Amino acid sequence: MRTWQEIAACVVAGERLSAQDALILWQEAPLWRLAELATDRKRKISGDKVFYNRNFHLEPTNVCVFNCKFCSFRRPRGSAEAWEWSMEQMQEQVRRYVGSGVTEVHIVGGVHPEHSLDYYCSLIRNVKEILPEVSVKAYTAIELSYMIHRAGLSVKEGLHRLIDAGMDAIPGGGAEIFDEKIRENICPDKGSTKEWFEVHRAAHELGIKTNATMLYGHIENLEHRIDHLMRLRELQDATEGFNAFIPLKYRNFGNSMSEIGEVPIIDDLRTLAMSRLILDNVPHIKAYWVMYGKQTTEMALKFGADDIDGTIDDSTKIYSMAGAEDQRPKMSVEQMLQMVERAGFRAVERDTHYNEINNIK
Ligand code: V47
């Protein structure tokens, strides 16, 4: 077995990490060394740039056919806290952004029992009619798999319909943890790991870029995290379809796993750095500021992240309902620029496809 110092030297030389070496590095390398290794790797890919975008979320409903133990967002139909926005209400939400400079709408919500594929397609069409210049990053693989199978179509046929309606990219949600036993425990009735990969592979084959996430810091261990990252690396080798990876820290407020607690920030930083090192073929590692909070996000930039997501404009409830610091998450471009500068990098506005937008004042 190699020592962490030997493994670190191999990482510097550009050698790909095996699962066994990744575990040793993860467990034994000091935090400062992981920071150095991950930052070196980040610099090779994105130099001194850290990306952000101007975006908002649409969350059509928090009613969901699945009942994941970690979820603080879902409400049973008929509950006072359940919402099911009408198409008109969502059009109204989208109209607020006319002329605002947003470049991306991220649509994600509960897996509604009755919404059809046509409904999801017309939601995208309506967004594009109001904001023709934006990209629509829509629906997790779990939502997609459900709506497409319900329509009696193959995954590729369903994706074709959504692409025709204007879907530009697919977010990374629903991945949770790929290990089937852990998944069975934390989200027993949810769409499977196999379904998640089927959708992402099909999207990549159709030329649609997607993101990937990992929900960590609950009952999984480091081997499960490494296995998760290795499965993503394998698909990326085959398709090159992932734009970004987003590690999602389990937040424990208001769900049925609350007794587990949350992992310390040092674990978040090590996880980011190791994600950057294991996923040597995924260009962008995102520190999602809404989930970490602003201070941890600033630190995360020293651990291999090169993206912080966007302005959000208080449009998502998933993390505020799970106990994140920002109960009304919102960041101005100015605040983002300052955060990135304080961390010693250069903020660059991007669109969904990571094309740079040159309008920084
Ligand atoms: O799949 C739900 C996670 C995800 C909790 O692709 C929780 O750019 C922590 O995927 N604690 C949805 N996490 C959000 C998501 C996402 C977010 C930002 C950017 C992108 C992107 C994707 O949120 C779910 C689940 O893994 N989640 N509940 C919780 N209590």
Side-chain angles (χ1 to χ4, degrees):
M1 260 193 345
R2 302 202 278 190
T3 63
W4 75 259
Q5 291 90 340
E6 287 165 340
I7 297 165
C10 293
V11 167
V12 172
E15 198 183 293
R16 182 167 256 203
L17 279 169
S18 67
Q20 191 186 27
D21 283 351
L23 184 61
I24 295 168
L25 199 62
W26 202 320
Q27 284 175 322
E28 296 179 18
L31 189 63
W32 64 267
R33 188 64 178 130
L34 286 184
E36 261 180 12
L37 293 171
T39 303
D40 282 357
R41 184 65 65 76
K42 174 240 172 286
R43 282 191 185 279
K44 286 203 175 83
I45 296 166
S46 42
D48 65 347
K49 296 173 191 167
V50 168
F51 297 99
Y52 71 93
N53 72 355
R54 298 182 205 226
N55 66 346
F56 71 96
H57 287 220
L58 272 185
E59 296 178 343
T61 185
N62 61 349
V63 169
C64 189
V65 297
F66 300 122
N67 204 348
C68 304
K69 291 188 197 163
F70 55 80
C71 181
S72 316
F73 176 79
R74 174 190 192 270
R75 290 292 180 277
R77 224 173 174 183
S79 132
E81 292 169 313
W83 71 78
E84 298 175 58
W85 303 124
S86 67
M87 201 56 89
E88 291 69 34
Q89 285 170 314
M90 283 184 288
Q91 286 167 318
E92 198 44 52
Q93 291 178 28
V94 177
R95 272 191 213 104
R96 285 186 214 140
Y97 294 93
V98 172
S100 68
V102 297
T103 60
E104 178 182 278
V105 183
H106 179 161
I107 314 180
V108 65
V111 180
H112 193 277
E114 281 152 25
H115 289 165
S116 64
L117 183 60
D118 286 342
Y119 163 92
Y120 290 107
C121 288
S122 48
L123 175 54
I124 296 176
R125 283 205 178 87
N126 283 324
V127 170
K128 287 264 168 114
E129 214 176 285
I130 300 168
L131 296 174
E133 68 286 3
V134 303
S135 293
V136 173
K137 183 174 79 177
Y139 313 129
T140 68
I142 303 302
E143 291 171 279
L144 290 166
S145 184
Y146 190 86
M147 67 177 85
I148 291 171
H149 286 127
R150 202 169 166 266
L153 299 176
S154 73
V155 172
K156 277 197 177 156
E157 286 166 343
L159 290 178
H160 262 303
R161 297 246 184 123
L162 290 149
I163 294 166
D164 286 348
M167 183 180 76
D168 297 288
I170 295 176
E176 318 319 352
I177 201 87
F178 292 140
D179 179 89
E180 284 76 6
K181 283 211 180 88
I182 301 288
R183 198 176 181 88
E184 178 63 29
N185 193 315
I186 63 170
C187 46
D189 59 356
K190 190 178 196 135
S192 64
T193 295
K194 189 164 162 274
E195 279 174 68
W196 192 94
F197 274 101
E198 243 169 34
V199 170
H200 283 264
R201 181 182 281 278
H204 297 174
E205 286 171 1
L206 294 175
I208 292 288
K209 293 283 186 179
T210 74
N211 290 341
T213 59
M214 170 175 73
L215 181 71
Y216 69 93
H218 42 87
I219 60 165
E220 90 296 353
N221 61 31
L222 293 189
E223 275 99 337
H224 297 125
R225 295 188 203 175
I226 292 168
D227 165 68
H228 190 100
L229 295 166
M230 292 286 176
R231 294 196 207 196
L232 291 173
R233 188 170 81 180
E234 198 184 319
L235 179 58
Q236 182 73 340
D237 275 344
T239 63
E240 296 184 351
F242 290 120
N243 258 341
F245 173 71
I246 309 128
L248 295 173
K249 174 198 185 96
Y250 166 64
R251 306 298 311 241
N252 79 332
F253 180 79
N255 58 59
S256 51
M257 308 196 318
S258 288
E259 74 287 352
I260 289 174
E262 292 181 2
V263 294
I265 289 170
I266 280 191
D267 193 354
D268 300 326
L269 302 177
R270 296 182 81 82
T271 302
L272 260 169
M274 287 305 302
S275 303
R276 172 60 86 184
L277 297 177
I278 294 172
L279 293 175
D280 57 2
N281 52 3
V282 175
H284 305 291
I285 304 291
K286 186 188 284 190
Y288 183 44
W289 72 264
V290 177
M291 173 264 309
Y292 286 133
K294 292 174 183 137
Q295 290 185 1
T296 306
T297 303
E298 194 173 316
M299 283 191 271
L301 297 179
K302 292 292 193 196
F303 289 80
D306 70 344
D307 191 332
I308 53 175
D309 205 83
T311 44
I312 300 286
D313 194 35
D314 189 19
S315 56
T316 174
K317 297 251 174 296
I318 298 181
Y319 282 93
S320 45
M321 290 170 81
E325 288 84 70
D326 287 289
Q327 285 296 299
R328 301 179 70 84
K330 187 180 178 126
M331 262 225 257
S332 65
V333 168
E334 201 51 48
Q335 281 175 303
M336 293 194 148
L337 298 189
Q338 283 168 6
M339 172 191 283
V340 171
E341 253 171 48
R342 277 197 303 269
F345 295 100
R346 185 163 57 92
V348 173
E349 183 174 355
R350 63 158 176 90
D351 67 11
T352 301
H353 307 291
Y354 287 85
N355 298 309
E356 296 181 18
I357 299 174
N358 295 313
N359 59 3
I360 297 175
K361 303 139 242 166

